[in-house]
Amino acid sequence: MSDNAWTGAAVAGVVAAYALGSGRLARSPVSAAMVFVGCGILIGPVGLDLVTLETDGGPLLTLLEAALTLVLFTDAMSVRRGDLRTGGALPGRLLGIGLVLSIGAGWLLAWPLLPGLTGWEAALVGAILAPTDAALGASAVSDPRVPRLVRQTLNVESGLNDGMVLPFFVLFLAAVPGTSYAAEGASGTLWRALLLSTALGLAIGWAGGRLLRRATARGRVTAEWRQIYVLAVAAGPYELAVVADGSGFIAAWVAGFAFAQGLGTAESAGRDEHTTDLAEYLGGLLAMLSLLFFGAVLLGPALEHLSWRLVGYAVLSLTVVRLVPVALALAGSGLRLPTVAYIGWFGPRGLASIVLGLLVAEEHVNGVETIARVVAITVGLSVLLHGMSAVWAAGRYGAWYRRAAAEPGLRESAAVPAVRGRRRIALLHRSDG
């Protein structure tokens, strides 16, 4: 039996085993991310040695890129322009102020703690570890005990910040000598990676949405093929941007917004709300598989090279680098301290950080070993801490809110319109719609 066959059998076994126990695990502090990362470590070089980066690096990167493309596209699709103004523009504050400050704080912190990196490599670390992934702390954004204002703020933020960090990542990468973006130069990077990729995403996404709207209105497309069509529209701008030496991820993210605009509302498009279900479920499954391979080829080996600098940076990245920018971004918003602390704590790092870290490895950056290890340790620690604390923290915060809700004028009790939640596999068991 070949090594690839053993790998496939191990992956299938992990998925099947988790599926059979998913109902019981959903009611426990053990998250899906924890299970898949832990099983990844088991089948990786430090365990059964069924998966290694040297032999499985190409397929792994393809899997990760496919997962992030679908997540970027569907997340962008699910966010409406009005959602950024939810509860007095709270998501806008986190994205416009908090995200930028988090990148800057991560950059500055990398200089003393990761001395082997150049200034621009330190900036890459700050950008890679800035985006959050709500799937790693599912109940934080879906537990009905948490006020809807807070849940939707976290949901919108995590749905958009992975896409918003991409321009920073590309520009920082272009400043590192020897990378493909550096060869393009600043003007070439600005043109291909940012402007051209954005234009491709806008054109293909909007046209794809309009075509589906017309075909649906005239009864030319079945419900099943509507969902498959979404996969094609998500893949199209990504691949064309790659062919044009641009950023496929930026193109896919922008295409998600444009597709939603071209498609219009469910009523005007004559479609049901399940049009994107297949893309969202598939993206969620690929994200879980990505965490499995992350545990195998990145986190497992990184655990053998632990140092106080790596662990110290990871801890500070998940606390100070997240909490301080959030507190500054929400200053003057009227939110109470427990709410600010809750929003600040639930900034788990996940899929976007893993993919961006591997993209740096593909560019052969000098400090790639340090970058890969600090990203792996930070994401791994996030999986553990945010996964274990999600249910407990949601319960504690929900209890505080229940006591405080009787106070007149409580900011957290502000009415916000209900929005359709993202249908990520890791969120299904706790979503309240």
Side-chain angles (χ1 to χ4, degrees), residues 380-393:
L381 192 61
S382 177
V383 168
L384 179 64
L385 296 181
H386 289 109
M388 291 183 64
S389 64
V391 176
W392 174 83

Side-chain angles (χ1 to χ4, degrees), residues 28-402:
S28 76
V30 180
S31 68
M34 292 167 64
V35 172
F36 278 85
V37 171
C39 290
I41 295 174
L42 179 63
I43 67 174
V46 300
L48 300 176
D49 199 21
L50 297 177
V51 182
T52 63
L53 188 58
E54 290 75 17
T55 58
D56 301 290
L60 171 60
L61 187 59
T62 300
L63 169 70
L64 290 168
E65 289 176 344
L68 185 57
T69 297
L70 282 178
V71 169
L72 287 169
F73 183 87
T74 55
D75 282 359
M77 262 201 70
S78 68
V79 177
R80 302 174 303 189
R81 285 176 294 180
D83 293 340
L84 291 174
R85 299 189 294 272
T86 294
L90 295 181
R93 284 171 172 254
L94 293 175
L95 293 167
I97 301 174
L99 179 63
V100 176
L101 291 178
S102 291
I103 294 173
W107 183 355
L108 293 175
L109 186 65
W111 276 351
L113 288 179
L114 307 173
L117 301 182
T118 66
W120 289 115
E121 289 170 352
L124 280 173
V125 173
I128 291 170
L129 292 174
T132 61
D133 188 345
L136 271 63
S139 61
V141 297
S142 59
D143 195 309
R145 293 172 293 183
V146 177
R148 177 176 287 174
L149 172 69
V150 175
R151 285 184 282 128
Q152 291 188 187
T153 295
L154 285 169
N155 197 43
V156 173
E157 181 205 12
S158 68
L160 295 182
N161 60 12
D162 45 5
M164 292 185 66
V165 83
L166 291 173
F168 293 96
F169 173 79
V170 168
L171 291 175
F172 293 158
L173 201 56
V176 177
T179 64
S180 60
Y181 287 109
E184 288 283 340
S187 60
T189 299
L190 181 65
W191 158 243
R192 291 180 182 273
L194 301 182
L195 299 181
L196 179 59
S197 300
T198 299
L200 286 171
L202 286 172
I204 298 173
W206 187 85
R210 295 295 293 182
L211 289 172
L212 180 58
R213 177 174 177 169
R214 291 180 180 178
T216 301
R218 297 175 183 178
R220 295 177 178 175
V221 59
T222 65
E224 295 81 6
W225 279 98
R226 275 205 302 271
Q227 298 191 44
I228 296 173
Y229 177 84
V230 173
L231 298 177
V233 176
Y238 174 88
E239 297 295 346
L240 286 178
V242 170
V243 169
D245 294 325
S247 171
F249 295 129
I250 291 177
W253 186 64
V254 173
F257 289 108
F259 183 81
Q261 293 301 310
L263 191 58
T265 63
E267 293 76 12
S268 61
R271 63 178 178 90
D272 60 54
E273 65 171 0
H274 303 291
T275 296
T276 61
D277 279 3
L278 176 60
E280 292 178 328
Y281 291 153
L282 180 59
L285 175 60
L286 292 180
M288 288 298 107
L289 293 179
S290 298
L291 289 174
L292 178 71
F293 285 104
F294 159 75
V297 305
L298 291 180
L299 181 57
L303 292 175
E304 298 182 310
H305 301 278
L306 286 179
S307 69
W308 72 266
R309 292 182 181 275
L310 292 176
V311 175
Y313 187 92
V315 171
L316 292 173
S317 177
L318 297 177
T319 54
V320 175
V321 173
R322 167 70 180 178
L323 289 164
V324 173
V326 166
L328 293 174
L330 297 179
S333 64
L335 295 176
R336 300 289 181 85
L337 181 60
T339 300
V340 175
Y342 184 80
I343 293 175
W345 170 241
F346 281 104
R349 314 307 198 275
L351 178 63
S353 296
I354 296 170
V355 176
L356 297 181
L358 280 177
L359 289 179
V360 171
E362 287 289 302
E363 293 286 347
H364 305 293
V365 174
N366 289 332
V368 65
E369 284 191 359
T370 300
I371 294 174
R373 287 171 185 168
V374 75
V375 169
I377 297 302
T378 304
V379 174
L381 192 61
S382 177
V383 168
L384 179 64
L385 296 181
H386 289 109
M388 291 183 64
S389 64
V391 176
W392 174 83
R396 290 293 299 271
Y397 175 67
W400 169 84
Y401 173 70
R402 193 166 55 249

